[in-house]
């Protein structure tokens, strides 16, 4: 799943996409999502069953998982001992997991130190309705740049070799492909156009994976 949908793409670009181009547009959206996640160095879309095994080389009551927001913790195993949510640890959506004393939940205790000593299985990332507007907008802009570049390429003479039968760059523009084989011919052009801008990277900096 991408950070934006086909419907949002049509609304953003004020274009009416024909069925023949669905696969190409979805690929542009997926590629844009990949660019964003590569830059921020973490997964942004919600996923269940994420497993992280971490080293603890300092005394601390806190650990942080990589994929946020954290929405559910399935299990935590510390040094082969399964911990109990609410008794042994508490967590928050910013990805922080706090080790606590079972008899006194307000009191923190340090995680055991060791290599690969704590394994967390959890659900994290943004569910579709909760994707931040900034991430959605950057995904759409990147994908739409790829769409426009493909259309411009086709109109400039690539149309015969790209397998494109019709291009409309007007307010309700669209591209109609003769067949799916045309999409690889536009891949390089679209990829170059979809690259993140410096302004977009500055916005994405606040979503980058945090390190301890």
């Amino acid at each position: 799943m991408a950070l934006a949908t086909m419907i949002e793409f049509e609304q953003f670009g004020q274009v009416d996409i024909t069925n023949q181009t669905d696969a190409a547009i979805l690929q542009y959206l997926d590629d844009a999502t990949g660019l964003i996640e590569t830059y921020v160095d973490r997964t942004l879309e919600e996923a269940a069953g994420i497993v992280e095994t971490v080293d603890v080389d300092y005394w601390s009551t806190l650990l942080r998982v990589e994929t946020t927001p954290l929405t559910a913790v399935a299990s935590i195993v510390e040094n082969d001992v399964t911990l109990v949510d609410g008794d042994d640890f508490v967590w928050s959506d910013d990805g922080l997991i706090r080790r606590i004393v079972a008899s006194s939940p307000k009191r923190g205790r340090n995680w055991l130190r060791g290599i690969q000593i704590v394994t967390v299985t959890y659900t994290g990332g943004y569910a579709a309705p909760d994707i931040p507007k900034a991430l959605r907008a950057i995904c759409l802009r990147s994908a739409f740049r790829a769409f426009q570049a493909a259309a411009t390429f086709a109109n400039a003479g690539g149309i015969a070799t790209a397998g494109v039968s019709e291009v409309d760059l007007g307010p309700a523009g669209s591209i109609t492909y003769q067949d799916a084989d045309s999409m690889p011919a536009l891949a390089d052009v679209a990829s170059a156009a979809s690259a993140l801008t410096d302004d977009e990277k500055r916005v994405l900096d606040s979503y980058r994976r945090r390190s301890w």
Side-chain angles (χ1 to χ4, degrees), residues 150-196:
T152 301
F153 169 76
N155 275 341
I159 190 165
T161 57
V164 177
S165 63
E166 181 181 349
V167 179
D168 181 0
L169 288 176
S174 65
I175 301 178
T176 301
Y177 295 95
Q178 291 175 346
D179 53 60
D181 292 337
S182 65
M183 285 182 283
L186 300 175
D188 292 341
V189 173
S191 177
S194 65
L196 298 173

Side-chain angles (χ1 to χ4, degrees), residues 41-119:
D41 195 25
R42 68 185 183 94
T43 300
L44 293 168
E45 301 172 81
E46 185 178 54
I50 302 170
V51 179
E52 291 181 19
T53 301
V54 299
D55 301 338
V56 180
D57 56 6
Y58 53 87
W59 294 118
S60 176
T61 63
L62 297 174
L63 292 178
R64 186 192 297 274
V65 296
E66 294 184 356
T67 302
T68 58
L70 174 60
T71 56
V73 177
S75 69
I76 296 182
V77 178
E78 180 189 47
N79 198 29
D80 296 326
V81 176
T82 300
L83 305 183
V84 178
D85 191 351
D87 286 342
D88 300 315
F89 66 90
V90 292
W91 55 273
S92 56
D93 61 4
D94 63 358
L96 287 174
I97 303 174
R98 184 171 183 259
R99 191 75 161 87
I100 59 173
V101 178
S103 60
S104 181
K106 292 185 178 180
R107 289 179 55 197
R109 59 172 292 183
N110 290 324
W111 293 93
L112 295 179
R113 296 175 65 185
I115 297 174
Q116 303 287 279
I117 197 167
V118 178
T119 298

Side-chain angles (χ1 to χ4, degrees), residues 3 42 44 69 125-138 207:
L3 293 171
R42 68 185 183 94
L44 293 168
Y126 295 103
D130 303 319
I131 294 172
K133 291 181 180 179
L135 294 178
R136 198 184 304 273
I138 292 172
Y207 295 93

